Amino acid sequence: MTDVFDTIDAEPLDREAERILRLNDRGGYTVPTEGLYPYQWNWDSAFAGLGFAAFDIDRAWTEIETLFSGQWGNGMVPHILFHRVDAGYFPGPDVWGTEDALGRGACKVPSSGISQPPVVASLAWRIYLADPTAGHDRLAALFPKLLAYHRWIMAARAESGAVAITHPWEAGRDNAPDWDEAMAGIDPVGVAPYTRRDTGHVDPRMRPTQADYDRYIWLVQFARERRWDEAAIAAESPFRVADPTMTFTALRSTRDLRLAAELLGAGTDEIDGWIARLEDGAAMLWNPETGAYDARNLRTGNFAGSVSNASFLSWWAGLEDRRPLETLRRVMTGARYVLPSHDLSAVSFDHLRYWRGPVWAIMNYMAASGMAEQGLTAEGARIRADTVRLIVENGFAEYFSPSDGTPAGGATFTWTAAVWLAWASPSRGEA
Ligand code: DGY
């Protein structure tokens, strides 16, 4: 193991990470961080559950159960649940206008109208593994809801085999260069006047641009005008991009769902069909020109030409493909801290601006775990060691510069603390 693990006293950092999870706990759900993100976010919450599992297994399950209290009748699990309205965030429930959405069914929790990378089945499976005795009945109760969520993903987003996004926020990688072509095709006319709140909480250099925000809001209005009708959005929206984050997290979660089905004695035929379809879809994301998995604009068929940290989730997804290794090694040689969210040699690289360069602990966790599982031991160990150095040197920030480690975005961040507790901390041993 790298030197960094021998020199760190993990104990105070473990306690600080636990304190952050408690600090961000709003009673049954956890906010990503005070101020900037005052609600329950889908994949943030799944990671919060994973973090809680290191020291409070009951609270871990509660986090996931609260997330599913917002599941729509059609199976969709929204990307934000607005449990208590907070004027410090934009856009709130009044902008999303999902109260009479098609597909919403009897769900009473106010929410956004899109989803997010479906890591929840994978992380619920890990919460179960952390304490199978405590988890068996909770997993059994959750299983049909997870199944309904994945059924919705396959029906509403996987027409190409890969999983598509209908909004950059759905990928969780809001301003990644992966969407630049599709975003350039939107003329954001008719966007109602609005005031951004994010730049009041965080340095604007670390956030998406105003041009991006106008298009984010335009896309929300576009879908709202169609009452969040998936078929109409799929047919008419200028924005539909097949995304490696969605595809690889869905594939991994589907494999983990299969493990849960076997444990619970449920059928696996439908799940096996999803796995085969997602594997086919992943194949169409391989870009031979960049030597990496890439986003693909479904309106034009064009690759984004973006080497991102999502490109390297293929091992997490269980693909044994070694073709990305050469590109991975080039990216790792060029960055002081890995994994950058965008290739340092690209003109669109920006070391502080959200998903156009910075390192994210959750992506490191999934990428490195997948690599370790598939024998890429040195690469996985480097990613973990860099995650540790970033946190030790700069705290539990939302993200970090891959060039100099600058902590960026929100502070005391839930998923950074969670990933520390579940994986990065030297107290987790060789992980
Ligand atoms: C935000 O508000 O920045 C979020 O990423 C939207 O999900």
Side-chain angles (χ1 to χ4, degrees):
M1 196 49 81
T2 323
D3 287 344
V4 71
F5 288 90
D6 301 330
T7 55
I8 289 165
D9 178 9
E11 171 71 19
L13 286 157
D14 290 355
R15 295 294 80 77
E16 175 61 3
E18 289 177 15
R19 187 189 73 81
I20 288 171
L21 289 189
R22 298 283 191 214
L23 178 77
N24 292 336
D25 184 352
R26 294 293 176 273
Y29 71 96
T30 311
V31 298
T33 190
E34 170 84 26
L36 183 61
Y37 305 117
Y39 298 113
Q40 183 175 23
W41 261 260
N42 181 328
W43 69 331
D44 293 78
S45 199
F47 279 103
L50 182 74
F52 276 119
F55 64 101
D56 185 344
I57 201 75
D58 176 61
R59 182 63 188 75
W61 283 111
T62 303
E63 184 78 26
I64 308 296
E65 288 155 2
T66 308
L67 178 63
F68 276 82
S69 72
Q71 184 169 34
W72 286 18
N74 64 2
M76 197 268 277
V77 181
H79 102 294
I80 308 177
L81 300 184
F82 302 109
H83 294 287
R84 273 177 253 153
V85 173
D86 187 316
Y89 181 79
F90 177 87
D94 52 322
V95 179
W96 288 91
T98 59
E99 46 301 325
D100 65 347
L102 295 174
R104 189 178 170 82
C107 183
K108 295 274 189 295
V109 183
S111 74
S112 70
I114 57 172
S115 195
Q116 240 179 356
V119 295
V120 65
S122 289
L123 302 187
W125 179 246
R126 276 152 194 73
I127 295 168
Y128 164 77
L129 292 177
D131 186 340
T133 309
H136 184 278
D137 292 355
R138 314 281 287 262
L139 181 68
L142 187 68
F143 180 76
K145 300 176 187 180
L146 292 170
L147 211 55
Y149 183 27
H150 280 259
R151 200 172 281 133
W152 173 83
I153 292 166
M154 298 309 293
R157 295 285 185 274
E159 73 275 10
S160 69
V163 182
I165 55 168
T166 57
H167 191 295
W169 286 339
E170 200 156 49
R173 299 185 295 128
D174 304 8
N175 65 340
D178 301 44
W179 338 120
D180 283 0
E181 180 190 77
M183 289 288 268
I186 296 171
D187 181 6
V189 285
V191 170
Y194 67 95
T195 305
R196 285 177 68 169
R197 301 287 180 203
D198 60 319
T199 44
H201 296 290
V202 166
D203 182 343
R205 288 175 310 148
M206 300 173 177
R207 295 289 301 173
T209 62
Q210 191 58 39
D212 280 329
Y213 251 81
D214 287 347
R215 287 164 177 79
Y216 298 154
I217 303 309
W218 187 91
L219 281 167
V220 170
Q221 288 183 190
F222 176 90
R224 181 181 183 169
E225 282 157 14
R226 286 155 186 78
R227 293 183 61 206
W228 300 96
D229 175 356
E230 296 295 355
I233 295 165
E236 297 164 29
S237 174
F239 187 96
R240 200 161 182 94
V241 184
D243 167 31
T245 336
M246 293 294 273
T247 305
F248 291 145
T249 57
L251 184 45
R252 178 57 184 251
S253 274
T254 309
R255 294 190 203 281
D256 291 325
L257 202 54
R258 193 184 194 288
L259 296 174
E262 282 178 342
L263 174 89
L264 299 168
T268 56
D269 289 355
E270 185 182 21
I271 298 175
D272 286 338
W274 296 341
I275 291 171
R277 185 150 174 70
L278 290 167
E279 283 177 344
D280 284 349
M284 77 154 219
L285 299 181
W286 176 254
N287 183 345
E289 277 183 27
T290 54
Y293 287 98
D294 196 1
R296 205 155 177 187
N297 184 347
L298 293 179
R299 298 299 183 228
T300 61
N302 292 338
F303 284 113
S306 164
V307 176
S308 71
N309 46 2
S311 301
F312 303 117
L313 296 182
S314 54
W315 293 293
W316 170 254
L319 301 184
E320 288 172 10
D321 186 5
R322 287 292 195 261
R323 287 176 300 174
L325 251 187
E326 193 183 329
T327 306
L328 173 68
R329 289 190 175 137
R330 177 179 61 73
V331 166
M332 290 182 96
T333 306
R336 181 161 166 209
Y337 300 95
V338 294
L339 282 170
S341 48
H342 192 48
D343 191 345
L344 275 81
S345 65
V347 284
S348 42
F349 171 80
D350 182 338
H351 81 123
L352 286 179
R353 202 179 285 281
Y354 215 35
W355 290 91
R356 295 179 89 86
V359 178
W360 294 76
I362 50 149
M363 299 297 272
N364 278 6
Y365 162 71
M366 292 188 286
S369 302
M371 289 171 200
E373 285 166 355
Q374 298 212 23
L376 300 173
T377 318
E379 288 79 6
R382 158 92 194 271
I383 295 171
R384 184 172 172 219
D386 282 10
T387 310
V388 169
R389 286 199 297 141
L390 284 167
I391 292 171
V392 167
E393 292 164 12
N394 304 294
F396 292 93
E398 184 180 2
Y399 44 94
F400 305 89
S401 161
S403 309
D404 60 14
T406 301
T412 54
F413 214 82
T414 291
W415 68 16
T416 309
V419 162
W420 174 270
L421 287 168
W423 168 71
S425 171
S427 66
R428 305 301 294 173
E430 291 287 317

